[in-house]
Amino acid sequence: MKTVKIKIDGMKCSHCVAAVRDALNRLDGVRDVDVSLSDGLAVVVAEDEVSTTYLTAAVDEQGFDTKIVE
């Protein structure tokens, strides 16, 4: 398992948080998602083979800009 932190620009409300959380939770290999509106950050626990591109693409499709945080 690995933990990936994704910086998300454009989240403004609880509906945005829900959209991001739901998009990430639907992905195969994702085990846990925590999204913080105040930090503009999603923390994802996923299986090792899940690529960061796969994760960010799911969030980008919801209309947000993303960047992986080390």
Side-chain angles (χ1 to χ4, degrees):
M1 294 295 225
K2 65 181 175 184
T3 301
V4 179
K5 294 180 182 177
I6 306 170
K7 182 71 177 162
I8 304 168
D9 292 326
M11 289 194 304
K12 301 198 184 314
C13 66
S14 61
H15 295 289
C16 296
V17 170
V20 169
R21 186 181 56 244
D22 292 347
L24 290 167
N25 274 322
R26 283 193 296 269
L27 299 177
D28 289 335
V30 170
R31 297 294 170 240
D32 188 48
V33 177
D34 182 38
V35 182
S36 171
L37 179 61
S38 60
D39 295 333
L41 193 69
V43 179
V44 182
V45 177
E47 295 178 12
D48 290 333
E49 60 271 3
V50 175
S51 75
T52 56
T53 303
Y54 182 59
L55 298 172
T56 57
V59 178
D60 292 343
E61 287 177 5
Q62 300 302 311
F64 303 102
D65 294 320
T66 58
K67 180 174 83 171
I68 298 298
V69 178
E70 297 301 321

